[in-house]
Amino acid sequence: MAETTASGYIQHHLQNLTFGQLPDGGWGFAHSAAEAKAMGFWAFHVDTLGWSFGLGLIFILLFRAAAKKATSGLPGGLQNFVEVLVEFVHGSVKDSFHGRSNVIAPLALTIFVWVFLMNAIDLVPVDWIPQLAVWISGDHHIPFRAVSTTDPNATLAMAFCVFALIIFYSIKVKGLGGFLGELTLHPFGSKNIFVQILLIPVNFLLEFVTLIAKPISLALRLFGNMYAGELVFILIAVMFGAGLLWLSGLGIVLQWAWAVFHILIITLQAFIFMMLTIVYLSMAHEDNH
């Protein structure tokens, strides 16, 4: 890497490969955070999009292969693995989802496996993938981040897709009037119609904040935990470039210790994202009025 300072090294590893319109009017990749910011809204994080799509494709092909080779006889290792995952997700949906839908279980399975795969890239040593990108591109200044869930654009995109399903099922199950009633007639109510009308703005403010907080908290929880985990790996990697033998030795120990602990984090964050999705959609299917 071209960076010679610890701060430059960290900044380089925390910057996405951004494609957009350059100041000269042409289109290309940003080589600094300032260039990426100047590209504005129509800037694409190519690394996030590429890894998200690629890992999603791996998930589809892996499970498709298991389904095609499934047998009622002696199952292979892949079939056993997929069956365990499917049964685990099915149990989670059965325990937490109280409505009836053919979409929730496949959605929950997709979320768990896809988020887990994106999180798991964090276990690859922090320099390997960026250096591979440098070697392929021939550009020693090009940034590259492989962990899609450390990009808030990715976590917010997933969360807002879940949010769209929440709105869709809320209106489908409760009707438009029931959905609007939830937003305007609760939590404060009154038998007096005039008082109730006066309470509508207060109820709407409280319920709207609660509603919009669901996707935001869903996205930021995943992003925050994965970003912090990635930053710890980067800080440990800085120790290897300090030029001190004992510090490099300590870095090796910390790298392995944090990687082992991080396996729990990446699994837990995928599980939490899945479970909150199930719970939110279960709430959307409840029609109490």
Side-chain angles (χ1 to χ4, degrees), residues 20-58:
Q21 191 169 21
L22 299 171
D24 60 5
W27 289 76
F29 292 102
H31 290 86
S32 67
E35 283 187 7
K37 184 179 180 180
M39 289 177 174
F41 179 80
W42 290 110
F44 301 91
H45 289 179
V46 179
D47 41 14
T48 296
L49 292 170
W51 279 99
S52 299
F53 178 82
L55 292 172
L57 186 61
I58 289 174

Side-chain angles (χ1 to χ4, degrees), residues 173-208:
V173 174
K174 304 165 188 176
L176 182 59
F179 175 64
L180 295 177
E182 278 194 344
L183 292 178
T184 57
L185 303 179
H186 299 277
F188 303 115
S190 174
K191 294 181 179 180
N192 188 308
I193 187 65
F194 297 105
V195 175
Q196 185 66 68
I197 292 174
L198 292 174
L199 289 173
I200 285 178
V202 177
N203 288 333
F204 178 76
L205 178 62
L206 294 174
E207 291 298 321
F208 181 76

Side-chain angles (χ1 to χ4, degrees), residues 213-285:
K214 291 177 181 177
I216 294 175
S217 62
L218 196 62
L220 295 185
R221 180 184 291 106
L222 177 60
F223 161 71
N225 281 278
M226 295 310 303
Y227 184 88
E230 181 189 39
L231 186 58
V232 170
F233 277 121
I234 293 172
L235 292 174
I236 293 174
V238 171
M239 300 173 67
F240 290 96
L244 299 175
L245 183 60
W246 68 271
L247 200 58
S248 298
L250 179 61
I252 294 174
V253 175
L254 291 176
Q255 189 85 3
W256 279 101
W258 181 245
V260 171
F261 178 70
H262 205 57
I263 294 173
L264 174 63
I265 294 176
I266 63 177
T267 308
L268 185 60
Q269 289 307 312
F271 175 73
I272 291 174
F273 200 100
M274 177 193 73
M275 285 304 302
L276 287 177
T277 299
I278 296 172
V279 171
Y280 291 156
L281 291 175
S282 178
M283 294 169 62
H285 279 75

Side-chain angles (χ1 to χ4, degrees), residues 102-119:
N102 295 325
V103 174
I104 306 304
L107 175 66
L109 178 65
T110 301
I111 287 175
F112 179 76
V113 178
W114 195 25
V115 172
F116 175 81
L117 288 174
M118 289 190 286
N119 291 350

